[in-house]
Amino acid sequence: MGSSGGESRWVDGSEMDSDSPPWSLFGDDEGREGYGSIRRRLVKKPKRADSFDVEAMEIAGSHAHDSKDLSVWPTLALAFQTLGVVYGDMGTSPLYVFSDVFSKVPIESDVDVLGALSLVMYTIALLPFAKYVFIVLKANDNGEGGTFALYSLICRYAKVNLLPNRQVADEQISSFRLKLPTPELERALNIKDSLERRSSLKTLLLLLVLMGTSMIIGDGILTPAMSVMSAVSGLQGEIRGFGTNAVVLVSVIILVGLFSIQQFGTSKVGFTFAPALALWFFCLGSIGIYNLVKYDITVLRAFNPAYVYLFFKKNSTQAWSALGGCVLCITGAEAMFADLGHFSVRAIQIAFTCVVFPCLLLAYMGQAAYLMKHPHSTGRIFYDCVPDGLFWPVFVIATLAAMIASQAMISATFSCIKQSMALGCFPRLKIIHTSRKLMGQIYIPVINWFLMIMCVVVVASFRSTTDIANAYGIAEVGVMIVSTTLVTLVMLLIWQINLFLALCFPLVFGTVELIYLSAVLTKIKDGGWLPLVFASCFLCVMYVWNYGSVLKYQSEVREKISMDLMLDLGSSLGTVRVPGIGLLYNELVQGVPSIFGQFLLSLPAIHSTVVFVCIKYVPIPVVPQEERFLFRRVCPRDYHMFRCVARYGYTDVRKEDHHSFEQLLVESLEKFLRRESQDLALESNLNDLDLDSVSVRSRDSDTAGDDLRIPLMWDQRLEEAGEAGTSLSGETTSGLPSSVMPSDDDPSLEYELSALKEAMNSGFTYLLGHGDVRAKKNSWFIKKLAINYFYAFLRRNCRAGTANLRVPHMNIMQVGMTYMV
């Protein structure tokens, strides 16, 4: 009996926790004869994954994210829209790439120009085109991309998440799909076992993901500064007396305006993004063709990769330093993957292949052709090669394109922080949803003003695009290396492809990225330290928050209330039960949280219905509404206590107010009760009726003197049932358990539903614990410093739980508790 308890779950009795012995609530006392029937039911019951699947509410069909398989015209329309969101950053790179490259390598011969052009062309062809368009985009998580999407995908296949709240029932979500086994399964299982056994590998993987996320946030600071300042610097040669101070001042004004309009949402101005960027790419291609025809069409020789070799042979160390400027031509390549959730793989591939790639090649070839005739124009090469009379239109379009590129990176930063918050890796912040149709359009005030201040400081301090470019390159290459590592792990663990092909990916692309990284790291003293400082600060914040959250969760698991104590208290819980529903928020997915004991000690009465609500984020993008809630009964029926797990994906929007949340919760609870009644009736048909009836009669004979068998508010429900004309003789005279009857005629179900309705009419109260987390006295000094000061500071100054849950203040009751971790 004891050995089979780990595979079975209670449905109508006490909750079974995975870390508690199955019969601990009974002990060796056989005086509880009423549980004999339940024991036999437990043994003969069909095996289940988890009792939560009673309310799993599986739905047929696939998830909405898979509806992106559009026809030709909708796909082309979506590809057009990607120009304004995905490719703004990469599209503005011709403003500054050659200026930065030839600031390191002076032009002395045709080899310098052709070598630099060949280097830029093959960098774009290898990393954004070959790596991202054809490989990385396929490593999406049900249509979502980005660093955290890769991490959540890995978390689904291996238990590498440091928060131990994974459930088998989560795998029943319709979008929680796993691949079928392949011949490469054994190698994948070995990798999975290694990741799950070694906590050091779990921590290393988390740090890698957090580092990549921190680099993306750093990009959110550097992209607006670099793009806007590069566009404004074109005025220096056009307006007399327009010097560096004027460039800085105008750039700061534009940046302040850019961040000030974020609160209105991108949807207000989003309709201009795609046409403006389409016009920008048209300008790039047209100006490139014009310069090719007018100046030197022989630069097409740069398609020969031998010029890369000649470029390095001639310039050696200077050529190596120029790689730091060359890497700027692929800034924003990560946006193709990070912004995948708003588009489709096919749309992004079409836009890059048919528009972005050829226009960028034409732009760089046109600039190279101009430099063949005017080698001293490297300082402002982009604006110098613009045909006469078109400067001001091109300048306006370039400035608008720079702002759009900045907008895309700012939005990506907001989305990245929201995902990290959902996975417990960032302090809670206020999130405003600026669109009712597009859930990805969000606005985080604190992060927005922080980015604005940092951008202004960067522009005012560096005063030059060259130094900002040094910092920009490190952030971009760092994100690419993280993506390469995670996609390689996805190939081995999830795709289970051939080992040789899987290793070719990091060998080819990882080697190129490491070469670029070695080049940009030489610029640490010249501004490259900036993204490293940003990344280190954000990494510390994110890791300490995750570390403290994990310790707090583990402390709650250790200190949860035992079922023996709950049964000893009886259905009254040692206090008075009053009408109403109490929603006790906690982080446990199993067990009774210790904070509930504090409420019992502090309050003179407790609600007639108590629901332990756990808000849980599962490693998938979106949880369908039909599969939002899981329910489980805690203790016997007459306790009227339930466990509710509200599951959300890491891109889900929790926009519902407390009224709609309460209504949906009660409806789901009613559905659970009806399913439970049907399930018990089905199980009773599988039991031996002769043996079961003996147990039931012995149980019913003891019911009169056992208050554990008397439902709450029995008298009130008797009166309600009498008014409704309902006969109660079946419950009082029948010798069979109520679960044998059909669910529609089950009196105990009707009583419980009426009690739930009465409690709902009496109102909801939100029971919240105000927990203080402290390190144990014998902890290491670093742990005390991190938990008692740093983590405590973050908890005090982040968004409060009541505001995050959108709970009305009049309905809140809080008690304090200290967790020693």
PDB file of all heavy atoms in Angstrom, residues 401-432:
ATOM      1  N   ALA A 401      14.071  56.714 -39.693  1.00  0.00           N
ATOM      2  CA  ALA A 401      14.480  55.307 -39.628  1.00  0.00           C
ATOM      3  C   ALA A 401      15.265  55.019 -38.355  1.00  0.00           C
ATOM      4  O   ALA A 401      15.116  53.953 -37.740  1.00  0.00           O
ATOM      5  CB  ALA A 401      15.318  54.942 -40.854  1.00  0.00           C
ATOM      6  N   ALA A 402      16.109  55.975 -37.945  1.00  0.00           N
ATOM      7  CA  ALA A 402      16.879  55.795 -36.710  1.00  0.00           C
ATOM      8  C   ALA A 402      15.958  55.733 -35.500  1.00  0.00           C
ATOM      9  O   ALA A 402      16.165  54.936 -34.578  1.00  0.00           O
ATOM     10  CB  ALA A 402      17.888  56.932 -36.557  1.00  0.00           C
ATOM     11  N   MET A 403      14.920  56.568 -35.485  1.00  0.00           N
ATOM     12  CA  MET A 403      13.970  56.545 -34.375  1.00  0.00           C
ATOM     13  C   MET A 403      13.184  55.227 -34.364  1.00  0.00           C
ATOM     14  O   MET A 403      12.920  54.662 -33.301  1.00  0.00           O
ATOM     15  CB  MET A 403      13.015  57.729 -34.470  1.00  0.00           C
ATOM     16  CG  MET A 403      13.687  59.083 -34.285  1.00  0.00           C
ATOM     17  SD  MET A 403      12.536  60.459 -34.374  1.00  0.00           S
ATOM     18  CE  MET A 403      11.543  60.156 -32.917  1.00  0.00           C
ATOM     19  N   ILE A 404      12.815  54.749 -35.545  1.00  0.00           N
ATOM     20  CA  ILE A 404      12.083  53.488 -35.610  1.00  0.00           C
ATOM     21  C   ILE A 404      12.964  52.339 -35.147  1.00  0.00           C
ATOM     22  O   ILE A 404      12.511  51.429 -34.436  1.00  0.00           O
ATOM     23  CB  ILE A 404      11.568  53.258 -37.041  1.00  0.00           C
ATOM     24  CG1 ILE A 404      10.513  54.310 -37.393  1.00  0.00           C
ATOM     25  CG2 ILE A 404      10.995  51.858 -37.199  1.00  0.00           C
ATOM     26  CD1 ILE A 404      10.081  54.270 -38.838  1.00  0.00           C
ATOM     27  N   ALA A 405      14.240  52.365 -35.556  1.00  0.00           N
ATOM     28  CA  ALA A 405      15.165  51.322 -35.102  1.00  0.00           C
ATOM     29  C   ALA A 405      15.288  51.340 -33.585  1.00  0.00           C
ATOM     30  O   ALA A 405      15.328  50.294 -32.932  1.00  0.00           O
ATOM     31  CB  ALA A 405      16.536  51.525 -35.757  1.00  0.00           C
ATOM     32  N   SER A 406      15.332  52.540 -33.018  1.00  0.00           N
ATOM     33  CA  SER A 406      15.401  52.659 -31.560  1.00  0.00           C
ATOM     34  C   SER A 406      14.126  52.146 -30.915  1.00  0.00           C
ATOM     35  O   SER A 406      14.156  51.464 -29.888  1.00  0.00           O
ATOM     36  CB  SER A 406      15.634  54.124 -31.174  1.00  0.00           C
ATOM     37  OG  SER A 406      16.789  54.634 -31.801  1.00  0.00           O
ATOM     38  N   GLN A 407      12.983  52.458 -31.542  1.00  0.00           N
ATOM     39  CA  GLN A 407      11.697  52.017 -31.006  1.00  0.00           C
ATOM     40  C   GLN A 407      11.627  50.497 -30.935  1.00  0.00           C
ATOM     41  O   GLN A 407      11.160  49.918 -29.952  1.00  0.00           O
ATOM     42  CB  GLN A 407      10.574  52.548 -31.893  1.00  0.00           C
ATOM     43  CG  GLN A 407       9.199  52.024 -31.544  1.00  0.00           C
ATOM     44  CD  GLN A 407       8.754  52.497 -30.184  1.00  0.00           C
ATOM     45  OE1 GLN A 407       8.813  53.692 -29.901  1.00  0.00           O
ATOM     46  NE2 GLN A 407       8.341  51.590 -29.335  1.00  0.00           N
ATOM     47  N   ALA A 408      12.099  49.823 -31.974  1.00  0.00           N
ATOM     48  CA  ALA A 408      12.057  48.364 -31.993  1.00  0.00           C
ATOM     49  C   ALA A 408      12.896  47.770 -30.870  1.00  0.00           C
ATOM     50  O   ALA A 408      12.488  46.801 -30.217  1.00  0.00           O
ATOM     51  CB  ALA A 408      12.550  47.856 -33.352  1.00  0.00           C
ATOM     52  N   MET A 409      14.055  48.358 -30.611  1.00  0.00           N
ATOM     53  CA  MET A 409      14.923  47.817 -29.567  1.00  0.00           C
ATOM     54  C   MET A 409      14.380  48.125 -28.176  1.00  0.00           C
ATOM     55  O   MET A 409      14.503  47.314 -27.255  1.00  0.00           O
ATOM     56  CB  MET A 409      16.328  48.408 -29.716  1.00  0.00           C
ATOM     57  CG  MET A 409      17.418  47.528 -29.160  1.00  0.00           C
ATOM     58  SD  MET A 409      17.503  45.935 -30.003  1.00  0.00           S
ATOM     59  CE  MET A 409      17.749  44.866 -28.601  1.00  0.00           C
ATOM     60  N   ILE A 410      13.744  49.280 -28.020  1.00  0.00           N
ATOM     61  CA  ILE A 410      13.127  49.618 -26.733  1.00  0.00           C
ATOM     62  C   ILE A 410      11.987  48.643 -26.431  1.00  0.00           C
ATOM     63  O   ILE A 410      11.857  48.130 -25.313  1.00  0.00           O
ATOM     64  CB  ILE A 410      12.623  51.075 -26.747  1.00  0.00           C
ATOM     65  CG1 ILE A 410      13.801  52.048 -26.839  1.00  0.00           C
ATOM     66  CG2 ILE A 410      11.816  51.380 -25.492  1.00  0.00           C
ATOM     67  CD1 ILE A 410      13.389  53.477 -27.139  1.00  0.00           C
ATOM     68  N   SER A 411      11.151  48.383 -27.440  1.00  0.00           N
ATOM     69  CA  SER A 411      10.047  47.436 -27.255  1.00  0.00           C
ATOM     70  C   SER A 411      10.567  46.045 -26.941  1.00  0.00           C
ATOM     71  O   SER A 411       9.994  45.326 -26.111  1.00  0.00           O
ATOM     72  CB  SER A 411       9.167  47.411 -28.508  1.00  0.00           C
ATOM     73  OG  SER A 411       8.636  48.688 -28.781  1.00  0.00           O
ATOM     74  N   ALA A 412      11.647  45.651 -27.617  1.00  0.00           N
ATOM     75  CA  ALA A 412      12.237  44.335 -27.342  1.00  0.00           C
ATOM     76  C   ALA A 412      12.754  44.259 -25.903  1.00  0.00           C
ATOM     77  O   ALA A 412      12.660  43.210 -25.255  1.00  0.00           O
ATOM     78  CB  ALA A 412      13.369  44.049 -28.327  1.00  0.00           C
ATOM     79  N   THR A 413      13.289  45.366 -25.398  1.00  0.00           N
ATOM     80  CA  THR A 413      13.755  45.392 -24.009  1.00  0.00           C
ATOM     81  C   THR A 413      12.589  45.213 -23.040  1.00  0.00           C
ATOM     82  O   THR A 413      12.688  44.451 -22.068  1.00  0.00           O
ATOM     83  CB  THR A 413      14.471  46.723 -23.722  1.00  0.00           C
ATOM     84  OG1 THR A 413      15.555  46.884 -24.631  1.00  0.00           O
ATOM     85  CG2 THR A 413      15.006  46.740 -22.297  1.00  0.00           C
ATOM     86  N   PHE A 414      11.473  45.900 -23.302  1.00  0.00           N
ATOM     87  CA  PHE A 414      10.289  45.720 -22.462  1.00  0.00           C
ATOM     88  C   PHE A 414       9.828  44.267 -22.457  1.00  0.00           C
ATOM     89  O   PHE A 414       9.543  43.691 -21.398  1.00  0.00           O
ATOM     90  CB  PHE A 414       9.153  46.623 -22.962  1.00  0.00           C
ATOM     91  CG  PHE A 414       9.389  48.084 -22.772  1.00  0.00           C
ATOM     92  CD1 PHE A 414       8.708  49.025 -23.544  1.00  0.00           C
ATOM     93  CD2 PHE A 414      10.290  48.547 -21.825  1.00  0.00           C
ATOM     94  CE1 PHE A 414       8.910  50.385 -23.368  1.00  0.00           C
ATOM     95  CE2 PHE A 414      10.509  49.903 -21.652  1.00  0.00           C
ATOM     96  CZ  PHE A 414       9.821  50.825 -22.412  1.00  0.00           C
ATOM     97  N   SER A 415       9.748  43.660 -23.641  1.00  0.00           N
ATOM     98  CA  SER A 415       9.289  42.272 -23.740  1.00  0.00           C
ATOM     99  C   SER A 415      10.238  41.328 -23.025  1.00  0.00           C
ATOM    100  O   SER A 415       9.808  40.381 -22.348  1.00  0.00           O
ATOM    101  CB  SER A 415       9.161  41.871 -25.213  1.00  0.00           C
ATOM    102  OG  SER A 415       8.240  42.695 -25.884  1.00  0.00           O
ATOM    103  N   CYS A 416      11.518  41.575 -23.145  1.00  0.00           N
ATOM    104  CA  CYS A 416      12.518  40.717 -22.518  1.00  0.00           C
ATOM    105  C   CYS A 416      12.409  40.774 -20.996  1.00  0.00           C
ATOM    106  O   CYS A 416      12.482  39.742 -20.312  1.00  0.00           O
ATOM    107  CB  CYS A 416      13.905  41.156 -22.974  1.00  0.00           C
ATOM    108  SG  CYS A 416      15.218  40.048 -22.487  1.00  0.00           S
ATOM    109  N   ILE A 417      12.203  41.960 -20.455  1.00  0.00           N
ATOM    110  CA  ILE A 417      12.077  42.110 -19.007  1.00  0.00           C
ATOM    111  C   ILE A 417      10.782  41.459 -18.525  1.00  0.00           C
ATOM    112  O   ILE A 417      10.749  40.827 -17.459  1.00  0.00           O
ATOM    113  CB  ILE A 417      12.145  43.595 -18.623  1.00  0.00           C
ATOM    114  CG1 ILE A 417      13.573  44.114 -18.841  1.00  0.00           C
ATOM    115  CG2 ILE A 417      11.715  43.815 -17.177  1.00  0.00           C
ATOM    116  CD1 ILE A 417      13.756  45.572 -18.545  1.00  0.00           C
ATOM    117  N   LYS A 418       9.714  41.576 -19.299  1.00  0.00           N
ATOM    118  CA  LYS A 418       8.452  40.940 -18.914  1.00  0.00           C
ATOM    119  C   LYS A 418       8.612  39.421 -18.851  1.00  0.00           C
ATOM    120  O   LYS A 418       8.112  38.771 -17.925  1.00  0.00           O
ATOM    121  CB  LYS A 418       7.352  41.313 -19.903  1.00  0.00           C
ATOM    122  CG  LYS A 418       6.006  40.665 -19.587  1.00  0.00           C
ATOM    123  CD  LYS A 418       4.974  40.992 -20.630  1.00  0.00           C
ATOM    124  CE  LYS A 418       3.629  40.358 -20.288  1.00  0.00           C
ATOM    125  NZ  LYS A 418       3.691  38.884 -20.239  1.00  0.00           N
ATOM    126  N   GLN A 419       9.299  38.844 -19.838  1.00  0.00           N
ATOM    127  CA  GLN A 419       9.518  37.395 -19.827  1.00  0.00           C
ATOM    128  C   GLN A 419      10.366  36.972 -18.630  1.00  0.00           C
ATOM    129  O   GLN A 419      10.081  35.961 -17.983  1.00  0.00           O
ATOM    130  CB  GLN A 419      10.197  36.960 -21.130  1.00  0.00           C
ATOM    131  CG  GLN A 419       9.320  37.104 -22.361  1.00  0.00           C
ATOM    132  CD  GLN A 419      10.019  36.632 -23.625  1.00  0.00           C
ATOM    133  OE1 GLN A 419      11.057  36.001 -23.567  1.00  0.00           O
ATOM    134  NE2 GLN A 419       9.438  36.956 -24.769  1.00  0.00           N
ATOM    135  N   SER A 420      11.404  37.749 -18.323  1.00  0.00           N
ATOM    136  CA  SER A 420      12.245  37.409 -17.178  1.00  0.00           C
ATOM    137  C   SER A 420      11.484  37.544 -15.869  1.00  0.00           C
ATOM    138  O   SER A 420      11.689  36.767 -14.933  1.00  0.00           O
ATOM    139  CB  SER A 420      13.501  38.290 -17.163  1.00  0.00           C
ATOM    140  OG  SER A 420      13.152  39.656 -17.064  1.00  0.00           O
ATOM    141  N   MET A 421      10.562  38.511 -15.780  1.00  0.00           N
ATOM    142  CA  MET A 421       9.718  38.626 -14.597  1.00  0.00           C
ATOM    143  C   MET A 421       8.826  37.401 -14.450  1.00  0.00           C
ATOM    144  O   MET A 421       8.625  36.878 -13.347  1.00  0.00           O
ATOM    145  CB  MET A 421       8.858  39.896 -14.675  1.00  0.00           C
ATOM    146  CG  MET A 421       9.606  41.196 -14.463  1.00  0.00           C
ATOM    147  SD  MET A 421       8.602  42.647 -14.868  1.00  0.00           S
ATOM    148  CE  MET A 421       7.226  42.400 -13.763  1.00  0.00           C
ATOM    149  N   ALA A 422       8.269  36.934 -15.566  1.00  0.00           N
ATOM    150  CA  ALA A 422       7.376  35.776 -15.526  1.00  0.00           C
ATOM    151  C   ALA A 422       8.096  34.524 -15.059  1.00  0.00           C
ATOM    152  O   ALA A 422       7.508  33.678 -14.373  1.00  0.00           O
ATOM    153  CB  ALA A 422       6.767  35.543 -16.905  1.00  0.00           C
ATOM    154  N   LEU A 423       9.376  34.391 -15.394  1.00  0.00           N
ATOM    155  CA  LEU A 423      10.140  33.208 -15.001  1.00  0.00           C
ATOM    156  C   LEU A 423      10.877  33.414 -13.689  1.00  0.00           C
ATOM    157  O   LEU A 423      11.767  32.636 -13.347  1.00  0.00           O
ATOM    158  CB  LEU A 423      11.131  32.830 -16.115  1.00  0.00           C
ATOM    159  CG  LEU A 423      10.472  32.382 -17.427  1.00  0.00           C
ATOM    160  CD1 LEU A 423      11.532  32.060 -18.471  1.00  0.00           C
ATOM    161  CD2 LEU A 423       9.584  31.176 -17.209  1.00  0.00           C
ATOM    162  N   GLY A 424      10.521  34.468 -12.942  1.00  0.00           N
ATOM    163  CA  GLY A 424      11.090  34.672 -11.620  1.00  0.00           C
ATOM    164  C   GLY A 424      12.518  35.153 -11.624  1.00  0.00           C
ATOM    165  O   GLY A 424      13.270  34.864 -10.685  1.00  0.00           O
ATOM    166  N   CYS A 425      12.926  35.878 -12.656  1.00  0.00           N
ATOM    167  CA  CYS A 425      14.315  36.336 -12.759  1.00  0.00           C
ATOM    168  C   CYS A 425      14.446  37.854 -12.770  1.00  0.00           C
ATOM    169  O   CYS A 425      15.517  38.367 -13.080  1.00  0.00           O
ATOM    170  CB  CYS A 425      14.964  35.770 -14.026  1.00  0.00           C
ATOM    171  SG  CYS A 425      15.093  33.978 -14.059  1.00  0.00           S
ATOM    172  N   PHE A 426      13.383  38.563 -12.430  1.00  0.00           N
ATOM    173  CA  PHE A 426      13.463  40.026 -12.379  1.00  0.00           C
ATOM    174  C   PHE A 426      12.432  40.519 -11.375  1.00  0.00           C
ATOM    175  O   PHE A 426      11.338  39.964 -11.288  1.00  0.00           O
ATOM    176  CB  PHE A 426      13.185  40.626 -13.766  1.00  0.00           C
ATOM    177  CG  PHE A 426      13.807  41.981 -13.965  1.00  0.00           C
ATOM    178  CD1 PHE A 426      15.073  42.101 -14.506  1.00  0.00           C
ATOM    179  CD2 PHE A 426      13.133  43.141 -13.607  1.00  0.00           C
ATOM    180  CE1 PHE A 426      15.656  43.342 -14.685  1.00  0.00           C
ATOM    181  CE2 PHE A 426      13.700  44.383 -13.780  1.00  0.00           C
ATOM    182  CZ  PHE A 426      14.972  44.483 -14.320  1.00  0.00           C
ATOM    183  N   PRO A 427      12.762  41.560 -10.603  1.00  0.00           N
ATOM    184  CA  PRO A 427      11.781  42.093  -9.634  1.00  0.00           C
ATOM    185  C   PRO A 427      10.509  42.552 -10.319  1.00  0.00           C
ATOM    186  O   PRO A 427      10.523  42.965 -11.480  1.00  0.00           O
ATOM    187  CB  PRO A 427      12.537  43.271  -8.994  1.00  0.00           C
ATOM    188  CG  PRO A 427      13.986  42.976  -9.214  1.00  0.00           C
ATOM    189  CD  PRO A 427      14.067  42.241 -10.509  1.00  0.00           C
ATOM    190  N   ARG A 428       9.406  42.477  -9.598  1.00  0.00           N
ATOM    191  CA  ARG A 428       8.116  42.877 -10.159  1.00  0.00           C
ATOM    192  C   ARG A 428       8.087  44.384 -10.427  1.00  0.00           C
ATOM    193  O   ARG A 428       8.420  45.183  -9.565  1.00  0.00           O
ATOM    194  CB  ARG A 428       6.978  42.504  -9.210  1.00  0.00           C
ATOM    195  CG  ARG A 428       6.782  41.007  -9.022  1.00  0.00           C
ATOM    196  CD  ARG A 428       5.565  40.756  -8.145  1.00  0.00           C
ATOM    197  NE  ARG A 428       5.704  41.361  -6.828  1.00  0.00           N
ATOM    198  CZ  ARG A 428       6.210  40.741  -5.773  1.00  0.00           C
ATOM    199  NH1 ARG A 428       6.622  39.493  -5.877  1.00  0.00           N
ATOM    200  NH2 ARG A 428       6.297  41.358  -4.606  1.00  0.00           N
ATOM    201  N   LEU A 429       7.666  44.750 -11.626  1.00  0.00           N
ATOM    202  CA  LEU A 429       7.550  46.143 -12.025  1.00  0.00           C
ATOM    203  C   LEU A 429       6.166  46.381 -12.624  1.00  0.00           C
ATOM    204  O   LEU A 429       5.503  45.440 -13.069  1.00  0.00           O
ATOM    205  CB  LEU A 429       8.631  46.506 -13.063  1.00  0.00           C
ATOM    206  CG  LEU A 429      10.087  46.368 -12.621  1.00  0.00           C
ATOM    207  CD1 LEU A 429      11.010  46.637 -13.801  1.00  0.00           C
ATOM    208  CD2 LEU A 429      10.417  47.299 -11.465  1.00  0.00           C
ATOM    209  N   LYS A 430       5.763  47.620 -12.645  1.00  0.00           N
ATOM    210  CA  LYS A 430       4.473  47.976 -13.231  1.00  0.00           C
ATOM    211  C   LYS A 430       4.544  47.849 -14.750  1.00  0.00           C
ATOM    212  O   LYS A 430       5.428  48.414 -15.391  1.00  0.00           O
ATOM    213  CB  LYS A 430       4.089  49.404 -12.840  1.00  0.00           C
ATOM    214  CG  LYS A 430       2.743  49.838 -13.377  1.00  0.00           C
ATOM    215  CD  LYS A 430       2.407  51.260 -12.950  1.00  0.00           C
ATOM    216  CE  LYS A 430       1.032  51.689 -13.457  1.00  0.00           C
ATOM    217  NZ  LYS A 430       0.702  53.064 -13.044  1.00  0.00           N
ATOM    218  N   ILE A 431       3.602  47.093 -15.316  1.00  0.00           N
ATOM    219  CA  ILE A 431       3.528  46.885 -16.761  1.00  0.00           C
ATOM    220  C   ILE A 431       2.204  47.435 -17.260  1.00  0.00           C
ATOM    221  O   ILE A 431       1.138  47.098 -16.740  1.00  0.00           O
ATOM    222  CB  ILE A 431       3.657  45.393 -17.123  1.00  0.00           C
ATOM    223  CG1 ILE A 431       5.023  44.848 -16.688  1.00  0.00           C
ATOM    224  CG2 ILE A 431       3.467  45.185 -18.622  1.00  0.00           C
ATOM    225  CD1 ILE A 431       5.208  43.381 -16.979  1.00  0.00           C
ATOM    226  N   ILE A 432       2.263  48.297 -18.253  1.00  0.00           N
ATOM    227  CA  ILE A 432       1.068  48.880 -18.863  1.00  0.00           C
ATOM    228  C   ILE A 432       0.932  48.321 -20.269  1.00  0.00           C
ATOM    229  O   ILE A 432       1.877  48.384 -21.068  1.00  0.00           O
ATOM    230  CB  ILE A 432       1.162  50.415 -18.904  1.00  0.00           C
ATOM    231  CG1 ILE A 432       1.281  50.984 -17.485  1.00  0.00           C
ATOM    232  CG2 ILE A 432      -0.049  51.015 -19.611  1.00  0.00           C
ATOM    233  CD1 ILE A 432       1.513  52.478 -17.445  1.00  0.00           C
TER     234      ILE A 432
END
